[in-house]
Amino acid sequence: IDQVEKSGSTHDKQTTPWLQYDSYWLSVLRRTHNWSQQSQSKINIAEQEFVHNPVNSDEIEEIISRFQRALEKTNFSNAISTANPMAIPQNFAVTAPSYDSFNAQQTYYPPLPMCGNPQTDEFLKIMGLDHRITVPYTALAVPPPPSPELPQFLQGQSNSSPGLN
C-alpha cells in the first residue's frame, strides 16, 4: 500500500510529491508472507498471530531500518528522497514488450513465459523474503520485443509506392 508524500526538505532531490511505502503494512506483509502460495488450498491462520499479537513498533522500526540500509547501499542513486527511506525508488526496468495503442494492426503473441522483475527482487531482498508467487529476474529470460510486421500491401513489393506500378 502506498501513500503520497510531499516534502520541502533541502536534502531531497526535488520537492514534488512521491509515492512511499507504508511501514505498518510492510510489517503486516512481512509477517504474512508465508501465507502466499500458488495453489488454491486453505491456509491455517492462528488467531493469536494478529488478534492477540498485533504488529508492534519494533517490527515497524525494523522495516524502516531495512529500507534505510538499502538506500545507503545504493548511494541514493535512484532515490527520489534522500531524507525518506520509505520513498519508492525510481528503478523501473522494462521486462516485457509494451502495448502499442497507436498500432491499429497490433499483433498479439502468445503469453510470454513467467519472468521475474528486478524491482520485485530488490524489494524482496530488502524485506528479507523469498519468492513465493513470483520468480527471480533473469535478464536472459526476457525475450526481445517482437519486430513490427510490414503492412499487407508492402509485403512482397519492391521500393515502389503501393498502387503506382
Side-chain angles (χ1 to χ4, degrees), residues 27-73:
S27 299
V28 171
L29 172 68
R30 191 154 190 255
R31 203 191 267 194
T32 61
H33 183 66
N34 63 334
W35 298 352
S36 300
Q37 58 185 10
Q38 292 182 344
S39 68
Q40 293 185 4
S41 60
K42 291 182 180 181
I43 301 169
N44 292 322
I45 301 171
E47 185 177 329
Q48 65 269 16
E49 283 189 67
F50 281 101
V51 175
H52 301 295
N53 186 18
V55 169
N56 61 49
S57 60
D58 290 339
E59 290 172 286
I60 294 169
E61 287 301 317
E62 171 65 19
I63 293 293
I64 295 169
S65 175
R66 286 174 168 275
F67 278 84
Q68 181 64 43
R69 286 191 305 265
L71 187 61
E72 290 167 359
K73 283 182 185 177

Short mmCIF file of all heavy atoms in Angstrom, two decimals, residues 27-73:
data_model
loop_
_atom_site.label_atom_id
_atom_site.label_comp_id
_atom_site.label_asym_id
_atom_site.label_seq_id
_atom_site.Cartn_x
_atom_site.Cartn_y
_atom_site.Cartn_z
N SER A 27 5.10 -4.26 7.45
CA SER A 27 5.27 -5.15 8.60
C SER A 27 4.24 -6.28 8.56
O SER A 27 4.55 -7.43 8.84
CB SER A 27 5.13 -4.36 9.90
OG SER A 27 6.11 -3.36 9.99
N VAL A 28 3.01 -5.92 8.19
CA VAL A 28 1.97 -6.94 8.04
C VAL A 28 2.35 -7.91 6.91
O VAL A 28 2.26 -9.13 7.06
CB VAL A 28 0.59 -6.29 7.76
CG1 VAL A 28 -0.45 -7.34 7.39
CG2 VAL A 28 0.13 -5.47 8.96
N LEU A 29 2.80 -7.37 5.78
CA LEU A 29 3.22 -8.21 4.66
C LEU A 29 4.34 -9.16 5.07
O LEU A 29 4.32 -10.35 4.75
CB LEU A 29 3.69 -7.34 3.49
CG LEU A 29 4.32 -8.08 2.33
CD1 LEU A 29 3.28 -8.92 1.60
CD2 LEU A 29 4.97 -7.11 1.37
N ARG A 30 5.31 -8.65 5.78
CA ARG A 30 6.44 -9.48 6.20
C ARG A 30 5.97 -10.61 7.11
O ARG A 30 6.42 -11.75 7.00
CB ARG A 30 7.48 -8.61 6.92
CG ARG A 30 8.77 -9.31 7.14
CD ARG A 30 9.90 -8.30 7.25
NE ARG A 30 11.15 -8.99 7.24
CZ ARG A 30 11.89 -9.17 8.32
NH1 ARG A 30 11.53 -8.67 9.47
NH2 ARG A 30 13.02 -9.84 8.24
N ARG A 31 5.04 -10.30 7.98
CA ARG A 31 4.54 -11.30 8.91
C ARG A 31 3.65 -12.34 8.21
O ARG A 31 3.58 -13.49 8.63
CB ARG A 31 3.75 -10.63 10.02
CG ARG A 31 3.71 -11.51 11.25
CD ARG A 31 2.74 -10.99 12.24
NE ARG A 31 3.35 -10.11 13.21
CZ ARG A 31 2.72 -9.75 14.32
NH1 ARG A 31 1.50 -10.18 14.57
NH2 ARG A 31 3.30 -8.94 15.17
N THR A 32 2.96 -11.95 7.15
CA THR A 32 2.02 -12.86 6.47
C THR A 32 2.56 -13.43 5.17
O THR A 32 1.84 -14.11 4.45
CB THR A 32 0.71 -12.12 6.17
OG1 THR A 32 0.99 -11.01 5.31
CG2 THR A 32 0.03 -11.64 7.44
N HIS A 33 3.81 -13.16 4.84
CA HIS A 33 4.38 -13.60 3.56
C HIS A 33 4.26 -15.11 3.37
O HIS A 33 4.02 -15.58 2.26
CB HIS A 33 5.84 -13.16 3.46
CG HIS A 33 6.48 -13.50 2.16
ND1 HIS A 33 6.08 -12.93 0.96
CD2 HIS A 33 7.48 -14.35 1.84
CE1 HIS A 33 6.81 -13.42 -0.02
NE2 HIS A 33 7.66 -14.27 0.48
N ASN A 34 4.39 -15.86 4.44
CA ASN A 34 4.30 -17.32 4.32
C ASN A 34 2.89 -17.79 3.96
O ASN A 34 2.69 -18.95 3.63
CB ASN A 34 4.80 -18.01 5.59
CG ASN A 34 3.95 -17.66 6.79
OD1 ASN A 34 3.33 -16.61 6.86
ND2 ASN A 34 3.93 -18.55 7.77
N TRP A 35 1.90 -16.91 3.99
CA TRP A 35 0.55 -17.27 3.58
C TRP A 35 0.42 -17.25 2.06
O TRP A 35 -0.53 -17.81 1.51
CB TRP A 35 -0.49 -16.32 4.16
CG TRP A 35 -0.57 -16.30 5.66
CD1 TRP A 35 0.07 -17.14 6.53
CD2 TRP A 35 -1.31 -15.39 6.45
NE1 TRP A 35 -0.24 -16.80 7.82
CE2 TRP A 35 -1.09 -15.73 7.81
CE3 TRP A 35 -2.15 -14.33 6.16
CZ2 TRP A 35 -1.67 -15.05 8.86
CZ3 TRP A 35 -2.73 -13.64 7.21
CH2 TRP A 35 -2.50 -14.00 8.55
N SER A 36 1.33 -16.59 1.37
CA SER A 36 1.27 -16.51 -0.10
C SER A 36 1.62 -17.87 -0.69
O SER A 36 2.59 -18.50 -0.30
CB SER A 36 2.26 -15.47 -0.63
OG SER A 36 1.96 -14.20 -0.11
N GLN A 37 0.81 -18.28 -1.66
CA GLN A 37 1.07 -19.56 -2.32
C GLN A 37 0.46 -19.55 -3.71
O GLN A 37 -0.43 -18.76 -4.00
CB GLN A 37 0.50 -20.70 -1.49
CG GLN A 37 -0.97 -20.61 -1.22
CD GLN A 37 -1.45 -21.70 -0.28
OE1 GLN A 37 -0.67 -22.43 0.30
NE2 GLN A 37 -2.75 -21.83 -0.16
N GLN A 38 0.95 -20.43 -4.55
CA GLN A 38 0.45 -20.52 -5.92
C GLN A 38 -0.78 -21.39 -6.03
O GLN A 38 -1.55 -21.27 -6.96
CB GLN A 38 1.54 -21.02 -6.86
CG GLN A 38 2.65 -20.02 -7.03
CD GLN A 38 3.72 -20.50 -7.99
OE1 GLN A 38 3.80 -21.67 -8.32
NE2 GLN A 38 4.55 -19.58 -8.44
N SER A 39 -0.99 -22.27 -5.09
CA SER A 39 -2.16 -23.16 -5.13
C SER A 39 -3.35 -22.47 -4.46
O SER A 39 -3.21 -21.43 -3.83
CB SER A 39 -1.85 -24.48 -4.42
OG SER A 39 -1.69 -24.24 -3.04
N GLN A 40 -4.51 -23.08 -4.61
CA GLN A 40 -5.72 -22.52 -4.01
C GLN A 40 -6.14 -23.29 -2.76
O GLN A 40 -7.31 -23.34 -2.42
CB GLN A 40 -6.85 -22.51 -5.04
CG GLN A 40 -6.60 -21.56 -6.17
CD GLN A 40 -7.79 -21.47 -7.12
OE1 GLN A 40 -8.83 -22.05 -6.90
NE2 GLN A 40 -7.62 -20.72 -8.19
N SER A 41 -5.19 -23.87 -2.07
CA SER A 41 -5.52 -24.62 -0.86
C SER A 41 -5.72 -23.68 0.32
O SER A 41 -5.31 -22.52 0.30
CB SER A 41 -4.41 -25.63 -0.55
OG SER A 41 -3.19 -24.95 -0.36
N LYS A 42 -6.36 -24.18 1.35
CA LYS A 42 -6.63 -23.37 2.54
C LYS A 42 -5.34 -23.10 3.31
O LYS A 42 -4.40 -23.88 3.29
CB LYS A 42 -7.62 -24.09 3.45
CG LYS A 42 -9.00 -24.18 2.87
CD LYS A 42 -9.95 -24.85 3.84
CE LYS A 42 -11.34 -24.92 3.24
NZ LYS A 42 -12.30 -25.54 4.15
N ILE A 43 -5.36 -21.98 4.00
CA ILE A 43 -4.23 -21.60 4.84
C ILE A 43 -4.73 -21.53 6.27
O ILE A 43 -5.75 -20.89 6.56
CB ILE A 43 -3.67 -20.22 4.42
CG1 ILE A 43 -3.23 -20.25 2.98
CG2 ILE A 43 -2.54 -19.79 5.33
CD1 ILE A 43 -2.92 -18.90 2.41
N ASN A 44 -4.03 -22.20 7.16
CA ASN A 44 -4.40 -22.14 8.57
C ASN A 44 -3.78 -20.90 9.20
O ASN A 44 -2.57 -20.73 9.22
CB ASN A 44 -3.92 -23.40 9.31
CG ASN A 44 -4.67 -24.62 8.86
OD1 ASN A 44 -5.87 -24.54 8.61
ND2 ASN A 44 -3.98 -25.74 8.75
N ILE A 45 -4.64 -20.03 9.69
CA ILE A 45 -4.19 -18.79 10.31
C ILE A 45 -4.56 -18.84 11.79
O ILE A 45 -5.74 -18.92 12.13
CB ILE A 45 -4.85 -17.57 9.64
CG1 ILE A 45 -4.51 -17.55 8.15
CG2 ILE A 45 -4.42 -16.28 10.33
CD1 ILE A 45 -5.27 -16.51 7.37
N ALA A 46 -3.55 -18.83 12.61
CA ALA A 46 -3.80 -18.85 14.05
C ALA A 46 -4.26 -17.48 14.51
O ALA A 46 -3.67 -16.46 14.15
CB ALA A 46 -2.53 -19.27 14.78
N GLU A 47 -5.31 -17.46 15.31
CA GLU A 47 -5.87 -16.19 15.79
C GLU A 47 -4.84 -15.37 16.56
O GLU A 47 -4.80 -14.16 16.46
CB GLU A 47 -7.08 -16.48 16.68
CG GLU A 47 -7.80 -15.23 17.12
CD GLU A 47 -9.04 -15.54 17.96
OE1 GLU A 47 -9.66 -16.59 17.73
OE2 GLU A 47 -9.34 -14.72 18.83
N GLN A 48 -3.97 -16.04 17.28
CA GLN A 48 -3.01 -15.31 18.10
C GLN A 48 -1.96 -14.57 17.27
O GLN A 48 -1.28 -13.70 17.77
CB GLN A 48 -2.33 -16.24 19.12
CG GLN A 48 -1.45 -17.31 18.53
CD GLN A 48 -2.19 -18.62 18.26
OE1 GLN A 48 -3.42 -18.64 18.24
NE2 GLN A 48 -1.47 -19.68 18.05
N GLU A 49 -1.85 -14.88 15.98
CA GLU A 49 -0.86 -14.21 15.15
C GLU A 49 -1.11 -12.71 15.05
O GLU A 49 -0.17 -11.93 14.99
CB GLU A 49 -0.81 -14.82 13.76
CG GLU A 49 -0.08 -16.14 13.73
CD GLU A 49 0.14 -16.62 12.32
OE1 GLU A 49 0.89 -15.98 11.58
OE2 GLU A 49 -0.47 -17.64 11.96
N PHE A 50 -2.36 -12.28 15.00
CA PHE A 50 -2.66 -10.85 14.87
C PHE A 50 -3.61 -10.33 15.94
O PHE A 50 -3.45 -9.23 16.43
CB PHE A 50 -3.23 -10.53 13.48
CG PHE A 50 -2.17 -10.45 12.44
CD1 PHE A 50 -1.94 -11.50 11.59
CD2 PHE A 50 -1.37 -9.32 12.34
CE1 PHE A 50 -0.95 -11.43 10.64
CE2 PHE A 50 -0.37 -9.25 11.39
CZ PHE A 50 -0.15 -10.30 10.54
N VAL A 51 -4.59 -11.10 16.28
CA VAL A 51 -5.58 -10.61 17.24
C VAL A 51 -4.94 -10.37 18.60
O VAL A 51 -5.11 -9.32 19.21
CB VAL A 51 -6.77 -11.60 17.36
CG1 VAL A 51 -7.74 -11.14 18.43
CG2 VAL A 51 -7.46 -11.74 16.03
N HIS A 52 -4.16 -11.34 19.06
CA HIS A 52 -3.54 -11.22 20.37
C HIS A 52 -2.10 -10.73 20.30
O HIS A 52 -1.47 -10.53 21.33
CB HIS A 52 -3.60 -12.56 21.11
CG HIS A 52 -5.00 -13.07 21.28
ND1 HIS A 52 -5.94 -12.42 22.05
CD2 HIS A 52 -5.63 -14.15 20.76
CE1 HIS A 52 -7.07 -13.07 22.01
NE2 HIS A 52 -6.92 -14.13 21.22
N ASN A 53 -1.60 -10.55 19.10
CA ASN A 53 -0.21 -10.13 18.92
C ASN A 53 -0.12 -9.20 17.71
O ASN A 53 0.41 -9.57 16.67
CB ASN A 53 0.68 -11.36 18.74
CG ASN A 53 2.14 -11.01 18.70
OD1 ASN A 53 2.55 -9.93 19.11
ND2 ASN A 53 2.94 -11.91 18.16
N PRO A 54 -0.65 -7.97 17.80
CA PRO A 54 -0.63 -7.06 16.65
C PRO A 54 0.79 -6.62 16.31
O PRO A 54 1.72 -6.77 17.10
CB PRO A 54 -1.48 -5.89 17.12
CG PRO A 54 -1.45 -5.93 18.59
CD PRO A 54 -1.25 -7.37 18.99
N VAL A 55 0.93 -6.08 15.11
CA VAL A 55 2.22 -5.54 14.68
C VAL A 55 2.65 -4.49 15.69
O VAL A 55 1.84 -3.66 16.12
CB VAL A 55 2.10 -4.92 13.26
CG1 VAL A 55 3.34 -4.13 12.91
CG2 VAL A 55 1.85 -6.01 12.23
N ASN A 56 3.91 -4.52 16.08
CA ASN A 56 4.37 -3.57 17.09
C ASN A 56 5.40 -2.60 16.51
O ASN A 56 5.85 -2.75 15.38
CB ASN A 56 4.93 -4.31 18.31
CG ASN A 56 6.12 -5.19 17.95
OD1 ASN A 56 7.05 -4.74 17.28
ND2 ASN A 56 6.08 -6.44 18.40
N SER A 57 5.77 -1.63 17.30
CA SER A 57 6.69 -0.58 16.83
C SER A 57 8.07 -1.13 16.50
O SER A 57 8.75 -0.60 15.62
CB SER A 57 6.79 0.54 17.86
OG SER A 57 7.28 0.04 19.08
N ASP A 58 8.50 -2.20 17.16
CA ASP A 58 9.80 -2.80 16.83
C ASP A 58 9.80 -3.36 15.40
O ASP A 58 10.79 -3.22 14.68
CB ASP A 58 10.16 -3.92 17.81
CG ASP A 58 10.48 -3.39 19.21
OD1 ASP A 58 10.81 -2.19 19.32
OD2 ASP A 58 10.39 -4.18 20.17
N GLU A 59 8.69 -4.00 15.01
CA GLU A 59 8.59 -4.53 13.65
C GLU A 59 8.59 -3.40 12.63
O GLU A 59 9.21 -3.52 11.57
CB GLU A 59 7.33 -5.38 13.51
CG GLU A 59 7.38 -6.68 14.28
CD GLU A 59 6.04 -7.40 14.27
OE1 GLU A 59 5.12 -6.94 14.98
OE2 GLU A 59 5.93 -8.41 13.53
N ILE A 60 7.90 -2.33 12.93
CA ILE A 60 7.85 -1.18 12.02
C ILE A 60 9.23 -0.54 11.90
O ILE A 60 9.70 -0.23 10.80
CB ILE A 60 6.79 -0.16 12.49
CG1 ILE A 60 5.39 -0.80 12.39
CG2 ILE A 60 6.88 1.13 11.69
CD1 ILE A 60 4.30 -0.01 13.07
N GLU A 61 9.92 -0.38 13.02
CA GLU A 61 11.27 0.18 13.00
C GLU A 61 12.24 -0.72 12.22
O GLU A 61 13.14 -0.23 11.54
CB GLU A 61 11.79 0.42 14.42
CG GLU A 61 11.13 1.59 15.11
CD GLU A 61 11.31 2.90 14.35
OE1 GLU A 61 12.42 3.17 13.86
OE2 GLU A 61 10.32 3.65 14.24
N GLU A 62 12.05 -2.03 12.31
CA GLU A 62 12.89 -2.97 11.56
C GLU A 62 12.71 -2.76 10.06
O GLU A 62 13.68 -2.76 9.29
CB GLU A 62 12.55 -4.41 11.95
CG GLU A 62 13.19 -5.47 11.08
CD GLU A 62 14.70 -5.54 11.15
OE1 GLU A 62 15.29 -5.02 12.12
OE2 GLU A 62 15.31 -6.12 10.23
N ILE A 63 11.47 -2.57 9.63
CA ILE A 63 11.19 -2.31 8.21
C ILE A 63 11.88 -1.02 7.77
O ILE A 63 12.58 -0.99 6.75
CB ILE A 63 9.67 -2.21 7.96
CG1 ILE A 63 8.99 -3.56 8.18
CG2 ILE A 63 9.36 -1.66 6.56
CD1 ILE A 63 9.36 -4.64 7.20
N ILE A 64 11.72 0.04 8.53
CA ILE A 64 12.33 1.33 8.17
C ILE A 64 13.84 1.19 8.13
O ILE A 64 14.50 1.70 7.21
CB ILE A 64 11.87 2.43 9.15
CG1 ILE A 64 10.37 2.67 9.00
CG2 ILE A 64 12.66 3.72 8.93
CD1 ILE A 64 9.75 3.54 10.08
N SER A 65 14.41 0.48 9.08
CA SER A 65 15.86 0.27 9.12
C SER A 65 16.35 -0.50 7.90
O SER A 65 17.40 -0.18 7.32
CB SER A 65 16.21 -0.48 10.41
OG SER A 65 17.57 -0.79 10.44
N ARG A 66 15.60 -1.52 7.48
CA ARG A 66 15.98 -2.30 6.29
C ARG A 66 16.01 -1.40 5.05
O ARG A 66 16.92 -1.49 4.24
CB ARG A 66 14.98 -3.44 6.06
CG ARG A 66 15.13 -4.59 7.02
CD ARG A 66 14.01 -5.63 6.82
NE ARG A 66 14.32 -6.83 7.54
CZ ARG A 66 15.08 -7.81 7.07
NH1 ARG A 66 15.60 -7.73 5.88
NH2 ARG A 66 15.33 -8.87 7.81
N PHE A 67 15.01 -0.55 4.91
CA PHE A 67 14.96 0.33 3.74
C PHE A 67 16.04 1.41 3.82
O PHE A 67 16.60 1.80 2.80
CB PHE A 67 13.56 0.93 3.57
CG PHE A 67 12.62 -0.01 2.86
CD1 PHE A 67 11.95 -0.99 3.57
CD2 PHE A 67 12.42 0.07 1.50
CE1 PHE A 67 11.10 -1.88 2.92
CE2 PHE A 67 11.57 -0.81 0.84
CZ PHE A 67 10.91 -1.79 1.56
N GLN A 68 16.35 1.88 5.01
CA GLN A 68 17.42 2.86 5.17
C GLN A 68 18.77 2.25 4.77
O GLN A 68 19.55 2.88 4.04
CB GLN A 68 17.48 3.37 6.62
CG GLN A 68 18.57 4.41 6.86
CD GLN A 68 18.33 5.69 6.08
OE1 GLN A 68 17.22 6.19 6.03
NE2 GLN A 68 19.37 6.24 5.48
N ARG A 69 19.05 1.03 5.21
CA ARG A 69 20.31 0.36 4.83
C ARG A 69 20.39 0.14 3.32
O ARG A 69 21.44 0.34 2.71
CB ARG A 69 20.45 -0.97 5.58
CG ARG A 69 20.80 -0.81 7.05
CD ARG A 69 21.18 -2.14 7.69
NE ARG A 69 20.17 -3.17 7.54
CZ ARG A 69 19.24 -3.46 8.44
NH1 ARG A 69 19.15 -2.76 9.55
NH2 ARG A 69 18.37 -4.43 8.23
N ALA A 70 19.27 -0.26 2.72
CA ALA A 70 19.25 -0.47 1.27
C ALA A 70 19.50 0.83 0.53
O ALA A 70 20.23 0.86 -0.47
CB ALA A 70 17.93 -1.09 0.85
N LEU A 71 18.90 1.91 0.99
CA LEU A 71 19.08 3.22 0.37
C LEU A 71 20.53 3.66 0.46
O LEU A 71 21.10 4.16 -0.52
CB LEU A 71 18.16 4.23 1.04
CG LEU A 71 18.07 5.63 0.44
CD1 LEU A 71 17.54 5.56 -0.98
CD2 LEU A 71 17.19 6.51 1.30
N GLU A 72 21.16 3.45 1.60
CA GLU A 72 22.56 3.83 1.78
C GLU A 72 23.49 2.99 0.89
O GLU A 72 24.47 3.50 0.37
CB GLU A 72 22.95 3.69 3.24
CG GLU A 72 22.29 4.74 4.11
CD GLU A 72 22.39 4.47 5.60
OE1 GLU A 72 22.97 3.42 6.00
OE2 GLU A 72 21.89 5.30 6.38
N LYS A 73 23.16 1.71 0.69
CA LYS A 73 23.98 0.85 -0.18
C LYS A 73 23.98 1.31 -1.62
O LYS A 73 24.93 1.10 -2.35
CB LYS A 73 23.50 -0.61 -0.11
CG LYS A 73 23.92 -1.32 1.12
CD LYS A 73 23.44 -2.76 1.08
CE LYS A 73 23.76 -3.47 2.39
NZ LYS A 73 23.23 -4.84 2.40
#
